[in-house]
Amino acid sequence: MNKFSTGLIVGSMIGAAGLVAILSDKKSRHKLENSGSKLLNKTTDMINDVTNSI
């Protein structure tokens, strides 16, 4: 996977999360923050695995 496609995937995920955060209420936003931190950790691990395998 090259840097361009990785950037598109990560950018799309950030954009979708931002849109959901804007449209949600306070309780949903708090749940999104908690799940977002877990997703960020998983995404970082995935990107590290991909870059290490190249």
Side-chain angles (χ1 to χ4, degrees):
M1 189 182 291
N2 60 20
K3 291 181 183 180
F4 179 73
S5 58
T6 303
L8 283 176
I9 293 169
V10 173
S12 298
M13 291 171 61
I14 292 171
L19 184 61
V20 170
I22 290 171
L23 299 176
S24 63
D25 59 350
K26 191 172 185 177
K27 183 178 179 182
S28 298
R29 197 174 305 135
H30 182 67
K31 287 174 65 177
L32 179 64
E33 289 172 2
N34 289 338
S35 65
S37 64
K38 292 177 187 176
L39 179 64
L40 182 63
N41 290 334
K42 289 180 183 179
T43 305
T44 304
D45 291 341
M46 181 187 71
I47 291 172
N48 287 336
D49 290 342
V50 169
T51 55
N52 290 336
S53 67
I54 293 176

